[in-house]
Amino acid sequence: MSDTDHLSGPLGDLARQVHAHSGVDVHDAFAAVVCWWSAAVAPTVRTDWPVLVWGIFLSDEKQFVPSLTGALRRAGLEDEACDLPHWLPTLGRKEVLKAVGTLEKTDGSRDEQRSLLLTGDPLHQPHSKRRRSLSDYVFLRQAWDGHEYRPYEWKRSTSMAPPALGVLWETSQQAWQRSARDVDTATVSRILHFRRRPAAIATEPADSGDGALGVLSTEVGDSDH
């Protein structure tokens, strides 16, 4: 039995397809697909509990690993099957605040679902040797805890529920260890940590994976419950 046999269902099929096309480890691909998928369906799921999966994928600074986001996009997750109304590479706290603010102004209707997936490296500071701190993004917990969470005693002025914010971040193990030192345990505990595995040689099978995407597309329409 293969060690990937337990990755069942269309998400597992898609993870294997991502692995075949990009060489990304299939388990890393599966975890990333779950992060993306949870953000895609979150606006249509009616529940009192969060359905978002926040993942941060850590790699050694000397280890080259293909971009997970790039691999998922090439696999077709930006198509209708798992389309996200908003998608944002993490370019800094101000950019994220602006995107979240814009998203909060939508009415949350089916035609304009309020969902945002944050990707990229949240701790990278372009053109600078300084690394960002995870504390810059503590405000994102509103998406998880709702109105009960008020960072720095700041009370939200709107009664509107916070938008669905998913996290699919990629950074180095060293950056993560430094950035998490000044962040409270409650915030850190909401993020699942995945240590990136080495990439393999892509095999590029003939199967495009459209079958799995088709099933996921159907499940998006059926996720309202």
Side-chain angles (χ1 to χ4, degrees), residues 131-165:
R131 282 280 182 172
R132 289 189 177 277
S133 170
L134 190 64
S135 61
D136 290 341
Y137 302 97
V138 168
F139 70 93
L140 295 178
R141 273 185 52 188
Q142 294 171 6
W144 190 287
D145 298 328
H147 303 299
E148 295 303 314
Y149 181 65
R150 296 183 295 273
Y152 313 114
E153 303 302 322
W154 173 65
K155 187 173 182 179
R156 296 172 57 85
S157 60
T158 176
S159 60
M160 184 181 296
L165 302 178

Side-chain angles (χ1 to χ4, degrees), residues 19-99:
H19 166 70
H21 279 285
S22 66
V24 167
D25 181 85
V26 68
H27 297 91
D28 291 349
F30 182 78
V33 168
V34 170
C35 291
W36 187 301
W37 177 246
S38 69
V41 301
T44 65
V45 177
R46 302 294 178 257
T47 176
D48 294 331
W49 301 98
V51 297
L52 298 167
V53 178
W54 292 1
I56 187 162
F57 296 80
L58 311 176
S59 60
D60 189 283
E61 290 185 340
K62 298 180 181 179
Q63 174 189 8
F64 170 77
V65 287
S67 165
L68 286 169
T69 304
L72 297 187
R73 294 176 68 192
R74 289 191 295 272
L77 263 73
E78 279 189 303
D79 297 335
E80 294 183 3
C82 303
D83 182 42
L84 290 165
H86 302 270
W87 170 75
L88 179 74
T90 303
L91 301 177
R93 185 176 186 274
K94 291 184 179 179
E95 295 261 345
V96 174
L97 277 170
K98 181 179 178 180

